Amino acid sequence: MSNVLLSARSSVFERADPYAVSEYVNQHVGAHCIRLPTSGFPEASLNHRKFASLDLCRISYGGSVRVTSPALETIYHLQVLLKGHCRSQCRGQEHFYVPGELLLINPDDPVDLTYSADCEKFIVKLPVSLFENTCLENRWMLPQSGIRFSAARHDMGELEGFSNLLMLICQEAEAASSMPQVQEHYVRIIASKLLGLLGNNVQRVQPQSQGGSFEQVVDYIEQHLTQDIGIEQLVTVARVSERSLYALFERHAGISPKDYIRQRKLERIHAQLLDPACKVRSVTEIALDHGFLHLGRFAEAYRRRFGELPSETYKRNR
């Protein structure tokens, strides 16, 4: 397997200063610090490819190295040990990895990894948004605390089809004719495979059956348009994290939750002002009823949306 995960065509460094390689990794793969032995002259090598929203990296430092980071924050690291061995220390637990085993580091996990001098590893950097969007596409329930994978060790040979998938992705990344659409297709597959193969806290229950769908959030907004609807309330209704809530609205409405609420309030007011049978005593009253406390800003937002001032709509239909 190791001979097909990024070939020499993807080489960026060969027999180079490990700290120069580390700086490149900081820029493209994930923030970290390295600690090398004080003696000797280790030479590092690195192959790298960008692949849609992923970064693929094959790296060896040429000497025993300790890699630390407080947390990766917005990304996950999938690491496959190709040669040597690795010791991982995280949250009081210690694991030892040998070639062919896989480690997945969560965004909020502190990183403390010690690699042997002969170690070589393959890394896939995956953004948080990739897994969240995959869950949304499958209509799985997202945990409010974020998606977390278990710290269990995984043997690549036991993960059905995953080794072949990594090989195909690397081949596609190095292909001269690789198309963005094809890359995006592979990226969605790898996210789905990881969520399906590795232990995690994602509930694969259809959220609409328990009231967590986009439609249910929209229904909640419709029923409370005359109230001040906060993001916290929508997070509770959707049962997702705030970041996932924004992703949900971006996917279904193309705008943020706050903009959607504001838009729906304006549309409700517009409909009521158009309806002669609706008992509206004044524009000021209906604006205040829907939470628009700054009447000048309300009038301007209404004009941009409907091409006339709310007072003009009101007078024309009374």
Side-chain angles (χ1 to χ4, degrees):
M1 175 183 178
S2 64
N3 61 343
V4 291
L5 293 179
L6 294 187
S7 69
R9 285 178 290 173
S10 301
S11 178
V12 180
F13 292 94
E14 183 67 29
R15 302 175 66 85
D17 177 4
Y19 290 100
V21 173
S22 176
E23 180 58 32
Y24 182 91
V25 171
N26 270 322
Q27 295 175 18
H28 298 278
V29 186
H32 71 290
C33 295
I34 65 170
R35 185 181 303 171
L36 292 161
T38 56
S39 61
F41 300 95
E43 295 176 317
S45 298
L46 180 139
N47 296 358
H48 174 251
R49 288 277 179 170
K50 185 75 177 173
F51 189 77
S53 61
L54 308 183
D55 278 271
L56 311 174
C57 175
R58 178 170 175 163
I59 184 172
S60 62
Y61 279 105
S64 176
V65 60
R66 184 179 181 187
V67 179
T68 58
S69 175
L72 298 172
E73 296 184 348
T74 60
I75 58 175
Y76 296 82
H77 259 201
L78 170 71
Q79 299 195 7
V80 181
L81 205 64
L82 303 178
K83 299 177 183 178
H85 60 268
C86 168
R87 182 184 68 179
S88 167
Q89 293 179 295
C90 179
R91 304 186 189 279
Q93 294 187 329
E94 185 175 65
H95 297 287
F96 288 88
Y97 294 85
V98 298
E101 291 187 329
L102 176 151
L103 163 67
L104 202 146
I105 304 172
N106 295 298
D108 60 344
D109 282 341
V111 179
D112 190 346
L113 302 169
T114 302
Y115 298 95
S116 62
D118 59 342
C119 184
E120 185 176 25
K121 58 181 175 176
F122 178 75
I123 301 174
V124 182
K125 184 184 83 173
L126 307 110
V128 167
S129 58
L130 171 61
F131 288 113
E132 292 182 337
N133 288 336
T134 300
C135 286
L136 292 175
E137 289 172 2
N138 288 284
R139 304 186 70 79
W140 294 336
M141 292 181 63
L142 286 171
Q144 292 192 31
S145 58
I147 299 170
R148 285 189 57 81
F149 289 88
S150 68
R153 294 161 56 203
H154 303 279
D155 187 333
M156 287 289 290
E158 297 175 357
L159 300 179
E160 184 179 356
F162 194 68
S163 296
N164 291 334
L165 178 59
L166 287 183
M167 295 178 194
L168 285 172
I169 285 175
C170 288
Q171 291 171 10
E172 184 65 30
E174 294 182 323
S177 59
S178 181
M179 296 184 294
Q181 301 93 325
V182 175
Q183 292 188 9
E184 290 291 347
H185 180 66
Y186 274 116
V187 166
R188 288 195 295 271
I189 292 174
I190 198 171
S192 297
K193 287 286 281 187
L194 288 171
L195 286 168
L197 291 171
L198 307 186
N200 56 72
N201 61 346
V202 173
Q203 298 182 47
R204 289 167 180 76
V205 178
Q206 295 294 327
Q208 63 267 32
S209 65
Q210 300 186 20
S213 68
F214 178 73
E215 291 76 15
Q216 181 108 14
V217 178
V218 166
D219 184 60
Y220 177 86
I221 291 172
E222 292 298 313
Q223 295 179 34
H224 298 84
L225 279 178
T226 58
Q227 300 177 17
D228 184 16
I229 305 171
I231 294 298
E232 296 80 7
Q233 293 167 273
L234 299 185
V235 164
T236 300
V237 172
R239 294 192 300 279
V240 297
S241 67
E242 183 173 330
R243 180 187 295 158
S244 299
L245 179 74
Y246 275 84
L248 188 69
F249 271 82
E250 180 63 32
R251 178 171 180 78
H252 288 274
I255 54 178
S256 71
K258 290 182 179 179
D259 287 341
Y260 180 88
I261 293 169
R262 183 182 183 83
Q263 178 175 295
R264 286 300 301 131
K265 284 176 179 282
L266 288 170
E267 289 171 350
R268 173 73 65 82
I269 292 172
H270 181 64
Q272 292 184 359
L273 291 178
L274 283 174
D275 185 2
C278 188
K279 297 180 180 180
V280 178
R281 288 182 293 186
S282 70
V283 170
T284 298
E285 181 183 61
I286 196 172
L288 293 175
D289 282 347
H290 287 79
F292 291 102
L293 304 181
H294 195 294
L295 298 179
R297 293 174 186 167
F298 159 71
E300 178 58 24
Y302 185 98
R303 185 189 64 78
R304 287 197 304 269
R305 180 82 174 125
F306 303 109
E308 64 180 5
L309 293 171
S311 57
E312 296 172 329
T313 309
Y314 178 73
K315 290 176 183 177
R316 190 176 64 251
N317 293 281
R318 290 298 183 274

